[in-house]
Amino acid sequence: MVDATRSVMLPSQPALTAPDGIVVCGLGGLGQACLSSLLAFNLPIRCIDREPPKWVDLAQGKRLLDVTLLGDMRNPEVLIEAGVASARAVLLLSQDSGVNLEAALQVRLLNPKAQLVVRSSGGSSSLERQLQDRLPGLAIVDPQLLTAGIFANALRPDGTEAAFDVEGELFVVRSTLQQQAASRDLFDQLSRLQRLVQWFPIDGAPGGPPASGWWNLDAKPAAGDRLLWLELASTLETRPRAHRGQWAVLWARFRLLFESCQEATERLKDRRNSLLSWGLLSLLLLLFVGSFLFGNASPLRGLMLTLALLKGEYLDAFSFIISGSNNELSPAHFPLAALALIYALGGTLLTAWLVALILDRLLAARIGNQEPKPMVAGTPYVLLLDGGPLAARLEQQLRLQKFQVVRVQENKPEPLAYPSLDRALRSLRHCRCQAVGVLSEDLMANLSVALELQQRWPGVRLAVRSHSLSQSSNFNALFEGMQVINPLEVAADAVVATALGERVRGVLRLAEENLLITDYKVNSSDTLQGLSLGTVAGGYGLIPLVLIGYGAIKPIALPNPERVLQLGDRLVVLASLAALRQVEAGNLKKRCWCLELRSLRPNAPIFEVQIALARYLGSVPGDMAKYVDLEHGAQRTAPLYQVPGRLLEQALKRLGVDCELVDATTCEA
């Protein structure tokens, strides 16, 4: 056990008074996953937990033992002892969002400049929104919602690897298997609306992480290679499905009602529902007895009077019963009056029950807490079981991609969701289930339901939410056709990126790696200012998705690599946590290519050639004159990244320049 009154740094770690120190408060599943990501950056770290943590990785626990304090994260003395006053960022990751917010206020008093990351326990409360708006440097994250995209992609039944939307644009990641050796190199396979995410050569493992651009675009894929392509989908795909005709929906309702009546009849025959059987028999007996008691030798008259009594009309019906006796009430009529009264009281209860049933349906329809409308027979759908806010976010993403979604929420009924799985399965018996997400917080209950549904639908895709399994992706091998996903484990990279000052929109899981959808706004001190998007992609190893120019309204999806970032521009990228760290530090990769200019055709437009060179080399046209002076032999440009180099090569060849992109190791800087 570690004493909260002392704090000893590991010999290999710098003091936490350094400006890049990180304090992690709350060492549950999310806290330990964040520590694993932070340790890869060799940052000075301190930890706070109320009780000795139960380490999933014992080696990590031993490594962090001497920098872990035991105490309440809301206690100023504990925070000061942990070095919060000089920390760069503080992660408040307790499962109780109220504790996290209270601790955040204490941290802000001790350190006005630190980046604060507060874990939300589900649903954005008014207090969380108010604090996030009023306190600068405070980011509230919900790890469940951050990873909704991973669940959505695990449930996609269309064969694509992933799909996500940014600024109203839909992006799709597709996997293609090379059937034969390619005749074109990778660069020629690129297009305006397509980017390469990962290349899996058949003869070995990938040479780098996805989206990093580690590959040589001059290479040609061999037969058996697998490629992941990011494509901009048609905007039509973001539109919802056209609704089926009303007649088809009405026919589906009638069919379900008819089959429900058949099932009720079968249950009566099999005597499985004794209460319903006795109730029906009792009603028939009452009608039969009343027809003879109240009919005065006319069974039809007696039946009508019995129905009137069951409706609750006592005086009028009884007066009609004794009408043959000159409407005079005698003691001989008392037994008949008592029996008629019993009929009337029972009928009143029956009428009240029917009225209550009708009102319940009407109120449910009025407040929106009704079951979903029946779907036409054969309609494919995705089934989501429980999940609360996570299921709501999943439904939104899947519907945007034109999938029919059906939700079941058993513990907390929600509008347009079935109250039970059995009820949903009965209503959807004629439809086709393509994927099931089991999203409750109980892993064993999730596995039980998932295995039962997998036995019912052998080919269905299954995604199971886990809270207790570390490295849950390793457990997928135990259950064929099922993906076990731990949101806390997956969201760790997004939480760490937020602590480092990034604005993370979501997380994707591609090629066994976590990729973050991150939003940048270019300012005067930003390392991205003045760089072309080709340099950003090649130098930092990321994929620019959407660019919104300063003052512009319409976003540009998959913008041109030659576009230069200016102050006020907003850029959304797809990148790993390591790549975002390089952007923050301004550590560009080495430029490995240069363009060799060999000759010009006689009528080549020299000034246009200089403009093209200046645009890609980040200079002015006047400085490019030395590259077009070819009297003394070929000239080589300053080093470039491969994509801008190939684009410059194409542009110069169109202008009549004989040139070629060559290895930069032989180029002059």
Side-chain angles (χ1 to χ4, degrees), residues 52 156 160 162 237 288 295 306 313 387 390 409 438 496 521 583 630:
R156 292 181 60 80
T160 58
E237 295 190 30
F288 179 78
T306 302
E313 298 179 1
L390 174 60
Q409 195 70 36
V438 190
V496 171
K521 186 173 182 180
V583 173
L630 305 178

Side-chain angles (χ1 to χ4, degrees), residues 121-123 369 384-389 391 407-420 440-441:
S121 58
N369 192 24
L384 302 179
L385 303 179
D386 297 323
R407 289 184 58 191
V408 175
Q409 195 70 36
E410 295 187 349
N411 297 329
K412 298 179 180 179
E414 295 185 5
L416 298 178
Y418 288 101
S420 68
S440 77
E441 297 184 357

